[in-house]
Amino acid sequence: MTDLPGGWTLWNDEPEGRRILAYRPDVFNESSFPAACMPTIFVWNGSRAKRPGATQIRTDTWHAVLYMEPEIEVHVEAFDSREAAVAGATDIARRFADGDIDYRSAYQIPREEYFDKLDELTGREP
């Protein structure tokens, strides 16, 4: 397994299946910020169609998707294999931790307190 960048934790890793990385679960734990706001990266080969049950349909394409919240996708990449998707997810995590991913533009209604905390954690300039 590739070393994860600071702040990222391996949350779930199914052999030959889904992998989930979580960012700073110590911060996104309901007492500071809602757990639903914890940035996560999902790796899986489920369909990305927007209909009920579609994600249960397996495809040949693997995806690494950075979510800021359950419905807020910030970054999506596609890969030909799980191994490549796992490496891609680690790269996405590294870019996020380095402050190189713009999460603010994914929101229609700004959440300034949340953004300020993420900026502080990642060292990103707003």
Side-chain angles (χ1 to χ4, degrees):
M1 178 173 81
T2 306
D3 290 330
L4 295 175
W8 286 95
T9 300
L10 180 60
W11 196 261
N12 184 46
D13 193 23
E14 300 169 4
E16 301 305 313
R18 184 175 59 164
R19 173 179 274 210
I20 302 171
L21 305 178
Y23 185 71
R24 297 293 306 265
D26 59 316
V27 173
F28 298 95
N29 60 8
E30 301 299 331
S31 63
S32 298
F33 285 93
C37 293
M38 180 172 53
T40 54
I41 299 173
F42 283 77
V43 172
W44 88 104
N45 66 331
S47 170
R48 295 203 17 91
K50 301 287 186 196
R51 63 179 184 273
T55 60
Q56 302 303 314
I57 300 169
R58 297 292 163 243
T59 69
D60 292 333
T61 303
W62 285 82
H63 298 93
V65 182
L66 170 61
Y67 291 94
M68 301 306 293
E69 298 179 41
E71 299 297 321
I72 308 291
E73 291 182 1
V74 174
H75 190 84
V76 179
E77 291 186 28
F79 302 91
D80 293 332
S81 69
R82 183 180 190 274
E83 294 76 26
V86 165
T90 301
D91 181 59
I92 293 168
R94 185 164 289 111
R95 287 184 280 149
F96 180 87
D98 289 344
D100 294 334
I101 291 186
D102 176 21
Y103 38 79
R104 290 173 180 259
S105 64
Y107 286 82
Q108 293 179 2
I109 300 171
R111 298 184 60 195
E112 293 306 325
E113 183 179 356
Y114 176 55
F115 293 156
D116 291 346
K117 184 63 175 179
L118 287 171
D119 291 345
E120 174 190 325
L121 292 171
T122 62
R124 183 177 189 273
E125 294 293 323

